[in-house]
């Protein structure tokens, strides 16, 4: 019964409880990061899926995005990019192909970029993400759940 409630109201899932961990493992097994974000939608632009060893980071970010989604009226959200293949610390994979940073959080599965980010989306990302970047020229917003920091990029 608890899982049914969490599936319908994913912004209420507690971060650390054992039952929540089992719920998240079951979601992963069925191809989902959270009830509204699939592993398929988070794949790298070169088709590489999020590796299992990054599951916890990716799901922590997905559940942060469930709270963003709820703030915006539970409407579907479609990030521009999520996971990018590549080895942290090395300039390789899809992350290198798109000019991403060597230590990009995208390579760790806990970052998303949003094209034409609305003010409401930006405010909600500020509330639920710890790393925030902004490209004012393209109106692209970056949100991640890594160390707390902010930056602009052009």
């Amino acid at each position: 019964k608890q899982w049914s409630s969490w599936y319908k109201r994913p912004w209420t899932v507690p971060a650390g409880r054992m039952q929540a961990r089992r719920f998240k493992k079951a979601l992963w097994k069925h191809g989902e990061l959270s009830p509204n974000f699939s592993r398929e939608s988070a794949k790298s632009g070169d088709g590489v899926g999020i590796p299992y060893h990054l599951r916890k980071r990716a799901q922590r970010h997905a559940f942060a995005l469930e709270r963003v989604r709820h703030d915006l009226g539970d409407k579907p959200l479609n990030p521009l990019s999520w996971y990018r293949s590549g080895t942290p610390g090395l300039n390789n994979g899809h992350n290198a192909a798109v000019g991403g940073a060597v230590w990009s959080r995208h390579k760790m599965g806990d970052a998303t970029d949003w094209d034409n980010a609305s003010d409401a989306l930006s405010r909600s990302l500020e509330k639920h993400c710890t790393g925030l970047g902004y490209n004012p020229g393209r109106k692209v917003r970056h949100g991640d759940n890594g160390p707390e920091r902010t930056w602009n990029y052009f």
Side-chain angles (χ1 to χ4, degrees):
K1 183 172 172 157
Q2 182 67 59
W3 286 16
S4 174
S5 170
W6 285 343
Y7 200 86
K8 292 175 188 167
R9 300 168 43 98
W11 60 92
T12 65
V13 175
R17 291 194 26 218
M18 183 57 77
Q19 189 175 7
R21 283 185 237 154
R22 287 194 295 266
F23 176 62
K24 290 176 182 179
K25 277 188 173 185
L27 287 170
W28 180 271
K29 180 179 174 186
H30 293 285
E32 298 178 84
L33 293 171
S34 69
N36 293 296
F37 295 100
S38 70
R39 288 169 48 198
E40 181 70 26
S41 69
K43 276 185 176 179
S44 180
D46 59 2
V48 175
I50 297 173
Y52 183 79
H53 72 277
L54 297 176
R55 178 185 67 81
K56 287 181 183 179
R57 289 177 193 250
Q59 287 189 299
R60 182 173 43 248
H61 188 61
F63 277 90
L65 295 179
E66 290 287 2
R67 292 186 288 280
V68 169
R69 189 178 183 277
H70 183 64
D71 286 353
L72 301 176
D74 292 314
K75 295 183 174 103
L77 293 176
N78 298 304
L80 175 66
S81 72
W82 193 318
Y83 175 67
R84 292 186 197 149
S85 65
T87 306
L90 297 176
N91 194 19
N92 63 1
H94 183 67
N95 190 65
V98 298
V102 172
W103 288 100
S104 171
R105 299 301 302 188
H106 290 279
K107 293 196 272 185
M108 298 178 199
D110 62 358
T112 45
D113 288 336
W114 306 86
D115 205 11
N116 293 314
S118 68
D119 290 341
L121 174 61
S122 294
R123 280 192 304 275
S124 189
L125 288 171
E126 288 171 11
K127 191 164 123 184
H128 299 294
C129 293
T130 52
L132 299 162
Y134 184 60
N135 179 329
R138 285 193 49 218
K139 223 180 169 192
V140 171
R141 175 63 88 175
H142 168 96
D144 69 51
N145 288 94
E148 192 171 321
R149 70 225 181 279
T150 60
W151 69 93
N152 287 330
Y153 56 100
F154 301 90

